[in-house]
Amino acid sequence: LVVGGGVDAWDEGDDFGDTGAGPSGVAAAADDLDFGDDDAWDDDLGDLGDDFGASENAEEVDEMAGLADLGDDDGFQMPVAGRPPAGCWATNSSHAADHVAAGGTSSALQLLNRQIAASDFAVVKESMLGCYLGAMMSVPGVPGSGAMQMPLLRNDASGHPGNDSLPRMYLALKDLVAGIRNGYRFFQTGKFNDSRNAFQDILTKIPFAVTKGRQEESEVKEMLAICREYITAIRIKGAMAEAASNPVRATELSAYFTHCDLQPVHLLLALRSAMGTAFKHKNYIVAASFARRLLELPDMSSERNADLRNKAMKVRQKSEQMARNEHELNYDETKTFQIDCKKFAPIYPGTPSEQCSYCGSSYADADMKNKICVTCNFCTVGIQTLGLVTG
């Protein structure tokens, strides 16, 4: 064993001659590595053409071709366009309030003119605005968006009525009743101007009130008559103050005052005033008549009216003893009559007269025909119409 013998010690007889050295030697070594056939490494990437593996014989599919064959029953149908609520309201009703709520001011005014001969619409402007604003509500949307307008219906209790819808009214029967009571209260306390304004306000609202049945319709027409009678009574009361120095006219007006259709408690006040006026001017026949009518009222039996009852009995006794009228009066208590609302004179049966188509005020003067009624202040006298429509 030779230790440290140099490179010769590692000589194992290998031949590393020039034939195996250099690049040609490396190529020869590579040729000696036989990896076999490449098909053994199947990686499924043999065909990467533009059709990405589609068969050359496959047919192209038109995905939109089927849409042409869809019938009306299979495809989407646009819903039928509905009608706006306002359009339904004007079609479904002949009431002026419904047309105003729908925005049909022109058609509403035409209806009022045809039904009650309304001519001066300035006094009903506030009621018309109430009808229009009260039929819609505004619902706020999300931030940045506008509010949504939603109709309010009066016939949707059992579900949406669809094309049969009708607008909700801002006026209810109880509102009219409250106005009548205000007029009564002012009349009772002697505030006649306030009382007249209250009844006048009800007259402008009644044409825009919608009733639900025959009973409410009767109540509305009764309130119309009440307003007419009280406005006439208040106007007569004002004329009495102006004619205080004329005994004949003062007595006549006080007599007409008692023929207005007033509540019993108010008729009591009218009869007391008429009795005092007639007795003061020595018209004892009519004074006795007023005293008898006063004593026949149910309220005269109460204890609070004891003093008035005693005075009425004394006036009746004294007047029956005198049994004469100092003046000739245009008044006959034995006959029924209507009161001329312009001249404040009796219109006896058979006398030609003109009436207001709305409130029913009577006028003996033919010149009042085609003029504005002095009671309601917005309807024409002497035109025959259908009358008030309430539902």
Side-chain angles (χ1 to χ4, degrees):
L1 178 62
V2 179
V3 179
V7 294
D8 294 337
W10 292 94
D11 185 8
E12 296 181 356
D14 294 331
D15 185 7
F16 295 102
D18 293 339
T19 58
S24 59
V26 176
D31 291 340
D32 292 338
L33 297 177
D34 186 5
F35 291 103
D37 191 359
D38 291 339
D39 293 337
W41 295 85
D42 187 9
D43 52 8
D44 296 331
L45 298 177
D47 189 1
L48 293 177
D50 292 339
D51 55 356
F52 290 97
S55 174
E56 294 181 358
N57 298 326
E59 296 181 358
E60 295 183 358
V61 178
D62 186 0
E63 297 180 355
M64 304 298 292
L67 294 179
D69 299 332
L70 290 177
D72 293 340
D73 296 337
D74 298 331
F76 172 76
Q77 292 182 349
M78 273 305 265
V80 179
R83 298 173 60 192
C88 300
W89 299 346
T91 304
N92 296 336
S93 175
S94 60
H95 200 290
D98 293 328
H99 285 248
V100 174
T105 305
S106 177
S107 61
L109 298 184
Q110 290 178 4
L111 286 174
L112 289 175
N113 179 262
R114 293 172 183 172
Q115 294 170 358
I116 59 175
S119 300
D120 187 358
F121 299 102
V123 296
V124 296
K125 179 180 179 180
E126 182 179 352
S127 298
M128 295 178 69
L129 287 174
C131 289
Y132 179 73
L133 297 176
M136 300 290 289
M137 66 178 297
S138 180
V139 180
V142 297
S145 65
M148 297 179 293
Q149 298 294 324
M150 297 184 64
L152 299 175
L153 307 180
R154 69 172 182 265
N155 59 340
D156 60 348
S158 58
H160 197 284
N163 289 337
D164 297 328
S165 65
L166 290 170
R168 187 175 300 179
M169 290 292 102
Y170 90 108
L171 272 176
L173 193 63
K174 62 180 181 180
D175 299 322
L176 301 179
V177 172
I180 294 290
R181 289 177 177 173
N182 286 336
Y184 284 161
R185 184 174 63 254
F186 290 133
F187 191 91
Q188 180 74 23
T189 55
K191 299 178 180 179
F192 297 113
N193 288 333
D194 293 337
S195 179
R196 180 178 179 178
N197 292 336
F199 289 117
Q200 198 79 48
D201 182 62
I202 298 300
L203 280 182
T204 61
K205 291 180 177 178
I206 285 179
F208 301 96
V210 179
T211 58
K212 298 179 181 179
R214 292 288 185 88
Q215 181 178 356
E216 289 191 357
E217 179 180 357
S218 299
E219 292 177 2
V220 168
K221 291 183 177 181
E222 181 181 356
M223 285 188 281
L224 175 61
I226 289 172
C227 292
R228 179 192 68 234
E229 294 296 320
Y230 271 84
I231 291 175
T232 302
I234 293 170
R235 293 180 61 233
I236 292 175
K237 184 66 176 176
M240 289 170 57
E242 296 176 359
S245 59
N246 186 341
V248 176
R249 187 57 175 165
T251 305
E252 289 176 347
L253 290 173
S254 64
Y256 305 151
F257 188 36
T258 65
H259 285 269
C260 295
D261 190 6
L262 308 178
Q263 295 295 309
V265 63
H266 301 148
L267 180 59
L268 184 149
L269 300 176
L271 286 170
R272 183 182 68 179
S273 175
M275 180 183 67
T277 301
F279 190 82
K280 174 184 177 182
H281 296 300
K282 300 180 180 180
N283 295 306
Y284 297 113
I285 296 177
V286 292
S289 174
F290 296 146
R292 285 193 297 268
R293 291 174 59 190
L294 184 60
L295 292 171
E296 292 173 357
L297 292 177
D299 290 345
M300 291 297 293
S301 60
S302 63
E303 190 62 29
R304 63 180 180 180
N305 292 324
D307 293 340
L308 179 59
R309 183 172 61 249
N310 293 332
K311 291 180 181 179
M313 294 176 64
K314 292 180 180 179
V315 168
R316 184 184 65 176
Q317 182 180 4
K318 178 67 174 179
S319 298
E320 289 175 348
Q321 292 175 356
M322 302 302 296
R324 290 289 187 275
N325 280 339
E326 184 71 16
H327 308 94
E328 183 178 355
L329 305 175
N330 184 18
Y331 171 68
D332 188 352
E333 63 171 325
T334 62
K335 296 180 180 179
T336 59
F337 60 86
Q338 294 178 326
I339 299 175
D340 188 323
C341 293
K342 180 182 179 181
K343 296 182 176 180
F344 300 133
I347 303 176
Y348 295 105
T351 304
S353 62
E354 303 290 346
Q355 282 76 35
C356 174
S357 302
Y358 172 49
C359 67
S361 297
S362 299
Y363 301 90
D365 190 354
D367 293 339
M368 280 298 297
K369 188 173 183 178
N370 296 326
K371 293 185 179 180
I372 299 297
C373 175
V374 298
T375 302
C376 62
N377 289 330
F378 70 98
C379 292
T380 305
V381 176
I383 298 179
Q384 186 176 2
T385 65
L386 174 67
L388 179 66
V389 176
T390 60

